[in-house]
Amino acid sequence: MTTAPEILIELLAAAPAVSALVSDRISVGWRERGDDLPCIIVDASSIEPDAATWISGAASLLICESTVECLASSHSSSDAIAEAVVAALASASGTSDGKGYSIAAHRGPTETDAEPDGSVVVTYSIETTLYMEP
């Protein structure tokens, strides 16, 4: 079964606007300090069955919350990646392994971190909810 992060990565990798900005630097979980920028990190925070049907014993949906972090060395670059990510994911729907899914995505907070070499990493977060057939 394809996981929520795998679906997000497939959609992002297939989006020309995203690939033009980050190439193939899209990963799950984290990045090593000093890895090439710009890049995208997909972090799944929760996967829960739909509570309304879960109580009856059979979930009709899996609700997968994830954060897509858009990292770059400047605010303008990170913002451009975030815009491309939202365009690729917001209202996306399809099937994976024969199971239907749909995605909601919106911009979250931004963060700036100093690196040991004096440079900065700017991260714009995109909050996503992926609704998937169980």
Side-chain angles (χ1 to χ4, degrees):
M1 179 175 154
T2 304
T3 65
E6 290 170 335
I7 291 170
L8 295 174
I9 287 173
E10 286 175 19
L11 290 170
L12 293 171
V18 173
S19 295
L21 296 167
V22 300
S23 185
D24 62 351
R25 293 182 300 275
I26 303 171
S27 60
V28 174
W30 59 288
R31 82 179 254 282
E32 290 285 337
R33 186 178 292 272
D35 280 355
D36 288 341
L37 293 175
C39 67
I40 293 173
I41 300 170
V42 177
D43 186 22
S45 54
S46 71
I47 300 174
E48 300 289 334
D50 177 28
T53 55
W54 181 63
I55 293 171
S56 69
S60 63
L61 281 177
L62 290 177
I63 302 171
C64 310
E65 304 284 338
S66 299
T67 301
V68 178
E69 297 177 342
C70 307
L71 291 84
S73 57
S74 71
H75 281 276
S76 60
S77 294
S78 185
D79 180 59
I81 298 165
E83 288 298 315
V85 166
V86 168
L89 297 180
S91 302
S93 63
T95 60
S96 180
D97 292 338
K99 308 277 184 172
Y101 68 84
S102 64
I103 300 172
H106 66 277
R107 290 186 69 147
T110 184
E111 182 179 305
T112 303
D113 292 316
E115 295 286 294
D117 65 0
S119 63
V120 297
V121 175
V122 180
T123 304
Y124 276 87
S125 296
I126 307 302
E127 306 300 328
T128 68
T129 305
L130 188 143
Y131 303 94
M132 189 166 58
E133 293 177 18

